[in-house]
Amino acid sequence: MLTRRHLLKSFSSGAAMLVASGLLPAWARSPRSLSEAGITALSGNRFDLDIARSVIRIDGRTGEAITVNGTLPAPLLRWKEGEQVTMRVTNHLDEDTSIHWHGMLVPFQMDGVPGVTFPGIKAGETFEYTFPVRQSGTYWYHSHSGLQEQLGHYGPLVVDPAGSDPVGYDREYVVVLSDYTFEGPHRVFAKLKKMSDTYNFQERTAGDFMRDVSRMGLGGTVEERLMWGDMRMSPTDIADVTGATYTFLVNGHGPGDNWTALFEPGERVRLRFVNASAMSIFNVRIPGLPMSIVQADGQNVRPVERDEFQIGVAETYDVVVTPRKDQAYTLMCESIDRSGYGRATLAPRPGMEAEVPPLRPRPLLTMKDMGMAGHGMSHGGMDHAAMDQGEPAGQKSGEMDHGSMDHSAMGHGSMDHGAMSHESAPAGAMQKDGMEGMGAMEAHNHPTGPGVANTAMQPQNRLGEPGVGLEDVAHRVLVYTDLESLAPNPDTRAPGREMELHLTGNMERYMWSFDGKKFSEVTEPIIFHYGERLRLTMVNDTMMPHPIHLHGMFFELVTGAGDHKPRKHTIVVKPGEKMSFDVTADEEGDWAFHCHLLYHMHAGMFQVVSVRKDMAEASQ
């Protein structure tokens, strides 16, 4: 059997021949050795993709993967905006599979979610995806079947603009971040269900207790410990799955493999970061080299220079760097809990390396992460509680175990979603994107029970905060409020309706849900009326960050950026946060809406949004 390395070696040799003849575009000309290759690239408008099990090697260890065309990550697909693309996907597994085109605007039948938009691809069968390419930017694709994504079934996707690219650069690399476990995903999930902190080897010690006593006093320390005990949480529960089992990868290479990207001093190098991990949020920095963020989730933004950014699962960021010195730089991709890292090298010549910075001390959660605004330390940066949008115009949403990820058991059809069917609220009833603060305690009009361990009583808008662990760093860290759309937002109407959704869970029992109900318990979808402008407010009642992804549509974060709000398809909702986004329901069909932490989705943090023309007509 051909290994990933053999395939990459063949690709690298073939690329060298094409470079000599000048046939490869600039983005494909950089790799000069195996460690620099990392990803097979395919371009055009017709593709044959074969999904199968493969043996891989990572940092000298052998493991099993589900691959596309035999590689991990799957091949880079290069499309052109305005063209029609066709992908013939053949399933060589002994189980169903699928591909979801993450962030792409496609007909819902092509979205690739089994049980919601199509029945899945059966073993031995071929399914043909075909649709027009309506956008440009950096995206990715992955399985939406079971836990296949954790096994390597993911790949990057780049769409070149039909016209000129507003981002100028001389050289380009795709940087796919991911996580891999040699245990296998089903064993990992079983362990989490039995003991949710099984991978947390960073619990507080007796030494931590004594240090806290000297800082807070004995009474204060004991009270703080009892409070966390009542919550059935630990302040070190930053990530469910950690470096205790994960190897963190850059373009399929572990830290020991040291994937390398080459540059000529003075070049503008575009790095397209894709977080294709199952469970890992990363803090990304290049010590000694500032980054200009030019794109988020495939959408161009006004360039903003920063030294570090946090990238949630399923998010993408494009940055431009200009290394002027004849030296190597380390791409440091540290996991959010600092239990491990992925790394790569940016260098003028093969074989060069830069110092890998040591892992920073692990962060701790605070009272603020419990949704108690008046307690604990501020998470740095500005206090954007003032941007809270107030109470929802309608009632709460409800409902929906993701189980095996097959959603066919749910017959949502065109049913009305009672708990989510709000009467339209006048736009003036909602607070503006201004500086109104939070006052009254948060209402929780949703089921509780064993699946809801706690509720955020005073959640705050935290879009202006950099994320757990980055509050006190000395350099510049990207926050969501730094992002402004390069082009004016396509729909500047004020929202005519608002709804609120709570992110709920019980870490100890490893139960995750929306509004206190896991997916298997929900019988009706969330209804968006076709053509309406809607504001969705999310309240994170848990003490973990959740990257929430809406299929089929972009949304605009309510940041106070006027008509240049950042447009995204995935947003990390911080612990104890209350934030809002506006969306135009202009894509008819049924769309998945879920947490992109794979095991949270698998445990039930999943919903279906139905955009229905008949619903819009019925409401008039």
Side-chain angles (χ1 to χ4, degrees):
M1 174 183 293
L2 284 175
T3 66
R4 174 173 63 92
R5 294 182 181 274
H6 285 123
L7 287 168
L8 293 177
K9 187 173 182 180
S10 297
F11 168 72
S12 184
S13 299
M17 294 176 63
L18 287 172
V19 168
S21 62
L23 295 180
L24 276 184
W27 60 266
R29 293 178 187 171
S30 298
R32 300 177 190 172
S33 71
L34 174 61
S35 66
E36 300 148 23
I39 298 178
T40 300
L42 304 173
S43 61
N45 52 30
R46 296 190 65 86
F47 304 85
D48 288 304
L49 304 178
D50 295 297
I51 300 171
R53 294 187 182 274
S54 302
V55 175
I56 59 168
R57 288 183 64 80
I58 296 172
D59 279 354
R61 295 183 63 185
T62 300
E64 183 185 82
I66 293 179
T67 60
V68 179
N69 290 9
T71 68
L72 186 160
L76 162 64
L77 301 184
R78 196 89 188 197
W79 300 345
K80 184 78 171 180
E81 182 183 14
E83 292 190 350
Q84 182 89 7
V85 293
T86 300
M87 282 69 61
R88 288 174 44 84
V89 181
T90 301
N91 182 8
H92 298 280
L93 303 174
D94 57 2
E95 59 186 272
D96 289 6
T97 192
S98 58
I99 291 182
H100 163 57
W101 312 101
H102 188 103
M104 296 303 299
L105 301 174
V106 300
F108 74 92
Q109 301 92 336
M110 296 286 109
D111 194 46
V113 182
V116 175
T117 60
F118 84 139
I121 307 171
K122 304 299 181 184
E125 292 186 356
T126 297
F127 182 84
E128 186 171 282
Y129 292 91
T130 183
F131 46 81
V133 181
R134 300 162 48 194
Q135 68 213 81
S136 62
T138 302
Y139 304 95
W140 65 298
Y141 61 102
H142 60 85
S143 172
H144 230 289
S145 300
L147 299 175
Q148 293 175 4
E149 187 182 333
Q150 175 75 93
L151 281 165
H153 189 345
Y154 52 80
L157 174 61
V158 173
V159 183
D160 292 309
S164 61
D165 194 326
V167 179
Y169 56 95
D170 303 304
R171 192 183 296 243
E172 176 182 24
Y173 292 97
V174 174
V175 183
V176 178
L177 309 180
S178 60
D179 44 32
Y180 181 83
T181 173
F182 291 92
E183 285 189 272
H186 293 282
R187 179 175 174 82
V188 169
F189 186 72
K191 284 185 174 182
L192 291 171
K193 290 295 289 183
K194 292 182 179 70
M195 187 169 66
S196 62
D197 61 353
T198 187
Y199 294 109
N200 184 1
F201 292 113
Q202 300 192 111
E203 296 284 8
R204 291 190 292 186
T205 64
D208 293 323
F209 182 85
M210 298 308 297
R211 281 188 290 273
D212 288 347
V213 168
S214 66
R215 182 172 55 88
M216 301 163 51
L218 179 61
T221 301
V222 170
E223 182 181 4
E224 189 259 359
R225 295 305 199 270
L226 290 174
M227 184 176 293
W228 282 107
D230 288 342
M231 292 283 196
R232 294 182 175 88
M233 277 285 289
S234 165
T236 65
D237 280 337
I238 308 295
D240 300 351
V241 192
T242 71
T245 187
Y246 273 153
T247 299
F248 299 108
L249 309 181
V250 177
N251 289 348
H253 294 261
D257 286 339
N258 187 27
W259 180 82
T260 301
L262 301 182
F263 68 87
E264 297 288 343
E267 283 185 324
R268 286 173 54 85
V269 182
R270 182 174 188 166
L271 303 174
R272 298 178 181 263
F273 286 93
V274 177
N275 188 349
S277 63
M279 293 292 290
S280 302
I281 297 172
F282 291 99
N283 296 324
V284 178
R285 68 192 194 276
I286 309 175
L289 199 58
M291 300 176 285
S292 179
I293 291 87
V294 296
Q295 196 178 96
D297 284 0
Q299 303 297 291
N300 293 319
V301 298
R302 291 170 173 167
V304 55
E305 186 175 275
R306 293 293 180 264
D307 302 300
E308 185 168 10
F309 62 89
Q310 187 169 100
I311 183 169
V313 177
E315 288 188 302
T316 72
Y317 283 107
D318 285 28
V319 309
V320 173
V321 297
T322 307
R324 301 188 184 280
K325 297 180 180 179
D326 187 39
Q327 69 176 58
Y329 298 87
T330 294
L331 275 67
M332 185 64 175
C333 308
E334 192 176 48
S335 66
I336 189 175
D337 68 324
R338 294 169 182 164
S339 63
Y341 64 91
R343 69 106 173 198
T345 296
L346 188 63
R349 291 177 298 281
M352 296 181 69
E353 291 189 35
E355 179 183 359
V356 179
L359 289 168
R360 294 172 290 191
R362 57 102 163 94
L364 292 175
L365 299 172
T366 69
M367 297 297 104
K368 192 173 185 179
D369 298 304
M370 293 183 182
M372 301 172 66
H375 299 76
M377 300 179 298
S378 171
H379 267 238
M382 297 174 59
D383 182 358
H384 287 261
M387 289 192 297
D388 173 58
Q389 303 307 309
E391 296 300 318
Q395 301 173 344
K396 299 284 192 298
S397 72
E399 298 136 43
M400 286 191 186
D401 187 26
H402 199 227
S404 64
M405 295 292 293
D406 181 0
H407 314 291
S408 55
M410 184 188 121
H412 48 276
S414 60
M415 294 182 293
D416 183 61
H417 186 233
M420 292 291 294
S421 297
H422 311 296
E423 295 298 322
S424 294
M430 287 175 264
Q431 296 181 20
K432 298 179 181 179
D433 301 351
M435 299 300 291
E436 297 84 352
M438 293 193 63
M441 302 289 275
E442 174 69 21
H444 292 274
N445 301 329
H446 59 78
T448 54
V452 182
N454 56 278
T455 54
M457 300 313 296
Q458 289 183 296
Q460 289 187 324
N461 186 299
R462 304 179 71 177
L463 293 175
E465 300 179 19
V468 174
L470 296 178
E471 306 87 358
D472 302 316
V473 298
H475 53 253
R476 302 165 298 177
V477 180
L478 183 74
V479 297
Y480 283 131
T481 49
D482 289 333
L483 300 174
E484 294 185 3
S485 174
L486 185 63
N489 300 144
D491 189 348
T492 58
R493 292 179 296 163
R497 187 165 68 104
E498 185 172 356
M499 61 178 65
E500 186 170 297
L501 188 69
H502 287 241
L503 318 181
T504 47
N506 185 325
M507 178 67 177
E508 187 180 41
R509 299 190 183 195
Y510 212 73
M511 301 170 69
W512 303 102
S513 58
F514 286 124
D515 276 351
K517 290 191 176 183
K518 57 187 180 180
F519 180 63
S520 62
E521 297 173 344
V522 173
T523 57
E524 299 173 346
I526 299 170
I527 296 297
F528 287 4
H529 305 309
Y530 183 79
E532 75 170 332
R533 185 71 169 163
L534 173 78
R535 176 162 293 175
L536 177 60
T537 294
M538 289 186 288
V539 179
N540 188 353
D541 286 330
T542 80
M543 284 172 278
M544 302 198 76
H546 296 282
I548 302 299
H549 173 46
L550 174 63
H551 288 221
M553 291 160 280
F554 282 93
F555 50 78
E556 288 83 48
L557 299 184
V558 179
T559 61
D563 294 344
H564 288 265
K565 299 181 182 71
R567 306 189 73 219
K568 290 180 62 59
H569 52 60
T570 305
I571 175 68
V572 178
V573 185
K574 299 176 183 69
E577 179 171 27
K578 181 175 183 177
M579 55 75 60
S580 301
F581 65 71
D582 294 340
V583 61
T584 299
D586 56 359
E587 300 289 340
E588 187 179 10
D590 298 329
W591 305 102
F593 180 62
H594 60 89
C595 176
H596 222 288
L597 297 177
L598 182 62
Y599 300 121
H600 289 194
M601 180 170 60
H602 197 64
M605 203 173 215
F606 187 98
Q607 265 276 21
V608 172
V609 167
S610 283
V611 178
R612 296 295 185 187
K613 285 185 176 179
D614 56 342
M615 292 294 176
E617 294 166 358
S619 66
Q620 294 177 353

